Amino acid sequence: MSFENPAISLSARVAELNKRFQNTDTVEMLREITSDPAFGKLALISSFGADSVVLLDMVAKIDRALPIVFIDTEMLFHQTLSYQRKLAKDLGLQDVRRILPSREAVLKRDSENLLHRYDTDACCTLRKTEPLARALTEFDGWISGRKRYQGGARMSMDLFELDAEQRIKINPLAHWSREDLASYIAAQNLPKHPLVAKGYKSIGCAPCTTPSGTIGNERAGRWRGQTKTECGIHFGNNAPARPVIPRAVIVTDEGFETEDWAAGFHSFASLATLPEQEKAALAIDLKGDFVAKDLLPWIGQIDLIRVSFPVFSDGRGFSLACQLRLLGFVGRLRAKGHIVADQYAMARRSGFNEVEIDQALARRQPEPVWQARADWQIRDYQNLLRQSA
Ligand code: SF4
């Protein structure tokens, strides 16, 4: 099996993996997937919670340098933070990445740290799902410690899944029971989270976690009294806190915005026959190979031109934008399609005002990733050199 073969769809590959590893020992499976280049760059996502030590121990025995992503919501129990440091040291984990929520976003949306009291979904989005989405942008797949016996949507999960961004997600412990975990921890003599002894079987943020009780669902202590059962990290499992992203996202220097152009887009070919009333607010779609001078008769009448980028490597749209500006087009110019954050500065320098991306890319490359490129003018070295000459 190879991930390189474009003829095989991702979901077919996932089905193939589920079949291939259905009877494989967990450690053996982890060894294979972490050493097979076809899986790309993987990370283990760990909460350093009640039974996280099992996967962490397995990974440490296979590859201590495997990146471990630890989302610190800044609302965790102090015991979790000290347990995280102890485990990293004891197991010799070399690449634990402590991911914090965006400082700017916290100041804007939860400056008093009270959001969890009245909107847990918004709080999880701010403190868990957005930081994780940022952290995952550099990975091709991720490993999670969820188990089927934990109930809810987890009961039907497979060993391999696709997340909402079409990234492979591996659940090596999906079929493990509570007893299996306890036996492993005892057999390997692993340290337990200090709160386990106090009745916590599932451990998340301090304000939203209570002891689980002795019977029933071990996640019952999470968000007690609410219908919420997941923080939203596990997209695709009916997670309620998944960030709501509009179908089309317009990226500007100020960040993500929603579409504000309600009048519709026309083709260049339809301009000649357009009724007068539709010319009051005029937007057109152009392909990157359009001949700019053909637009000269219309150039003063068009408010918005959207140039499509059909594939990532097709740079003709940048040239077209430059030519349209040189011909005197002063309206809005928008790049749409296969544009990634690294190309934002190039788009702006070419004369585009904004970039239109779809939901999948907005999730893979969230707003902070694009905003890191919003200072494109101070990196416009050629222009700066011209000015200083
Ligand atoms: S679990 Fe509670 S405190 Fe933690 S991010 Fe979610 S709502 Fe906020």
Side-chain angles (χ1 to χ4, degrees):
M1 182 216 67
S2 165
F3 282 87
E4 306 304 322
N5 184 351
I8 303 176
S9 73
L10 272 175
S11 41
R13 285 172 192 149
V14 165
E16 204 177 339
L17 287 167
N18 277 315
K19 201 166 158 205
R20 172 176 152 198
F21 287 105
Q22 61 183 337
N23 297 317
T24 309
D25 169 75
T26 304
V27 175
E28 194 44 47
M29 181 185 95
L30 276 171
R31 199 184 300 282
E32 278 196 48
I33 61 171
T34 53
S35 60
D36 184 346
F39 283 91
K41 199 171 169 194
L42 296 177
L44 167 62
I45 312 303
S46 181
S47 63
F48 288 81
D51 43 45
S52 302
V53 69
V54 172
L55 262 185
L56 290 166
D57 181 67
M58 289 178 178
V59 162
K61 288 186 165 108
I62 294 165
D63 178 6
R64 287 190 170 138
L66 189 91
I68 314 283
V69 173
F70 169 54
I71 306 292
D72 179 355
T73 60
E74 300 182 319
M75 292 283 178
L76 299 174
F77 290 97
H78 68 85
Q79 291 93 332
T80 301
L81 299 177
S82 48
Y83 183 58
Q84 182 269 306
R85 289 191 292 271
K86 175 178 169 50
L87 280 191
K89 187 162 172 275
D90 289 0
L91 299 175
L93 302 170
Q94 293 168 1
D95 190 7
V96 178
R97 303 178 186 194
R98 181 169 157 246
I99 308 293
L100 297 169
S102 144
R103 186 74 5 243
E104 196 189 357
V106 169
L107 286 175
K108 207 161 137 189
R109 286 143 62 185
D110 191 15
S111 58
E112 296 184 333
N113 297 335
L114 294 176
L115 186 56
H116 64 87
R117 288 199 188 167
Y118 51 90
D119 191 343
T120 47
D121 282 353
C123 184
C124 282
T125 299
L126 169 69
R127 295 178 179 277
K128 290 188 176 182
T129 54
E130 288 178 356
L132 179 68
R134 269 201 313 277
L136 283 176
T137 51
E138 67 173 284
F139 295 101
D140 302 302
W142 49 302
I143 303 167
S144 106
R146 295 177 306 150
K147 279 79 61 182
R148 288 185 196 125
Y149 79 80
Q150 291 175 311
R154 300 184 178 201
M155 288 170 79
S156 56
M157 74 184 164
D158 281 321
L159 274 177
F160 294 85
E161 300 173 316
L162 283 178
D163 71 11
E165 288 72 36
Q166 299 293 291
R167 225 186 263 111
I168 197 138
K169 183 169 163 188
I170 305 140
N171 309 304
L173 303 181
H175 55 295
W176 280 49
S177 67
R178 194 176 293 158
E179 292 71 33
D180 292 336
L181 294 166
S183 307
Y184 186 95
I185 291 171
Q188 304 297 322
N189 197 21
L190 296 171
K192 290 183 187 160
H193 191 298
L195 291 178
V196 170
K198 296 189 175 179
Y200 291 81
K201 292 179 184 160
S202 174
I203 302 164
C205 295
C208 301
T209 309
T210 55
S212 321
T214 49
I215 51 169
N217 183 348
E218 67 179 35
R219 285 175 61 81
R222 308 283 294 274
W223 303 286
R224 195 176 284 284
Q226 299 183 35
T227 52
K228 183 177 173 74
T229 57
E230 295 280 355
C231 60
I233 276 179
H234 301 288
F235 300 155
N237 294 292
N238 302 320
R242 180 174 165 168
V244 177
I245 296 177
R247 190 169 292 280
V249 175
I250 312 302
V251 187
T252 71
D253 290 355
E254 273 68 55
F256 280 6
E257 292 175 11
T258 48
E259 175 65 277
D260 64 347
W261 188 264
F265 287 81
H266 301 280
S267 66
F268 172 71
S270 69
L271 285 181
T273 53
L274 218 53
E276 274 310 307
Q277 65 272 22
E278 291 197 29
K279 292 180 186 165
L282 195 52
I284 64 165
D285 272 322
L286 294 181
K287 292 185 177 156
D289 61 358
F290 182 81
V291 179
K293 64 179 173 45
D294 290 351
L295 203 65
L296 267 175
W298 304 92
I299 212 150
Q301 298 178 53
I302 299 170
D303 301 282
L304 170 58
I305 298 177
R306 187 166 65 174
V307 179
S308 64
F309 285 70
V311 289
F312 171 75
S313 56
D314 187 344
R316 288 176 296 179
F318 296 126
S319 310
L320 176 59
C322 291
Q323 289 163 15
L324 289 168
R325 289 304 188 198
L326 288 171
L327 287 173
F329 177 65
V330 293
R332 276 167 73 183
L333 256 182
R334 180 187 296 178
K336 181 193 175 188
H338 284 248
I339 297 272
V340 292
D342 280 342
Q343 292 170 299
Y344 183 73
M346 175 71 170
R348 294 289 282 120
R349 285 197 294 270
S350 304
F352 285 108
N353 304 90
E354 58 206 34
V355 170
E356 180 178 328
I357 59 174
D358 62 18
Q359 287 176 331
L361 180 58
R363 288 189 192 285
R364 214 161 46 242
Q365 296 198 321
E367 191 175 28
V369 177
W370 289 84
Q371 285 215 279
R373 276 80 171 179
D375 59 350
W376 59 277
Q377 278 160 313
I378 60 167
R379 295 172 200 280
D380 189 358
Y381 300 113
Q382 286 186 7
N383 196 29
L384 290 173
L385 278 174
R386 272 198 299 275
Q387 285 174 7
S388 64

